[in-house]
Amino acid sequence: MKVDKDFQIVTMKKQKHIALIAHDNRKEDLIEWVSTNKDKLGRHFLCGTGTTAKMITNAVHLPVKAFNSGPLGGDQQIGCRIVEGDIDFMIFFWDPLTAQPHDPDVKALLRIAVLYDIPIATNKSTADFLLSSPLMYEEYDRKIIDFSKRMHRK
């Protein structure tokens, strides 16, 4: 990890740590996408929120480390792992038309993902583009903005 001005540079390794998350109305869509991309995803470390992780493991037979269900703190667990540098990448098939009881947690998770400059796919098209990127198979330097330094300069 290097520090450059008001950025912290964190190198993602060739093997990415990918979080897989889906709201209830999108779980089957995510399972289908994972199944289609099983060979590519099998080269990386996978984790996800409780029900989604278990459904993917059962349907696609890929190992997916399960955290708690989203409404029971799983989104916050994933966010914590992003902050700690243990998750590099997130595929989150969310349901934009259904209010979720844990909407504040979802918003916090997305905010953390942006703050820590990790790639996020919230639909199939974006997930396809990200997974097909040559950057998926090489090291990549993320520049994480140090907002405290920026705030002190003002």
Side-chain angles (χ1 to χ4, degrees):
M1 184 181 329
K2 305 168 234 163
V3 177
D4 176 16
K5 286 193 175 190
D6 58 353
F7 291 100
Q8 178 184 34
I9 299 171
V10 176
T11 302
M12 275 194 254
K13 306 244 185 282
K14 289 181 181 184
Q15 255 188 320
K16 310 294 188 267
H17 289 80
I18 303 171
L20 302 169
I21 306 167
H23 285 148
D24 289 345
N25 290 340
R26 301 296 315 278
K27 288 187 190 318
E28 290 302 323
D29 298 329
L30 182 59
I31 290 168
E32 181 181 322
W33 182 82
V34 170
S35 180
T36 300
N37 294 288
K38 180 179 179 176
D39 292 339
K40 290 178 182 179
L41 290 168
R43 300 177 196 161
H44 302 282
F45 300 104
L46 307 176
C47 67
T49 50
T51 307
T52 304
K54 289 174 188 152
M55 289 176 74
I56 291 169
T57 297
N58 290 339
V60 184
H61 307 291
L62 281 175
V64 182
K65 178 182 174 158
F67 292 104
N68 288 344
S69 173
L72 299 177
D75 296 329
Q76 293 175 342
Q77 288 178 301
I78 298 281
C80 182
R81 296 319 187 282
I82 292 169
V83 170
E84 293 170 346
D86 296 331
I87 293 177
D88 304 309
F89 196 100
M90 185 166 62
I91 307 293
F92 187 173
F93 281 19
W94 66 289
D95 179 356
L97 300 178
T98 304
Q100 303 294 324
H102 62 296
D103 273 340
D105 298 336
V106 172
K107 185 175 180 182
L109 174 59
L110 293 171
R111 182 178 59 82
I112 288 297
V114 171
L115 279 172
Y116 285 84
D117 195 32
I118 70 164
I120 309 164
T122 56
N123 59 38
K124 181 186 177 303
S125 298
T126 307
D128 287 341
F129 272 79
L130 291 177
L131 196 60
S132 67
S133 169
L135 297 175
M136 280 299 297
Y137 305 101
E138 53 189 66
E139 289 188 351
Y140 178 79
D141 288 337
R142 293 184 291 128
K143 288 186 175 182
I144 301 170
I145 297 170
D146 185 338
F147 285 98
S148 63
K149 284 185 180 177
R150 285 192 176 182
M151 290 173 17
H152 287 336
R153 285 190 303 197
K154 292 182 180 186

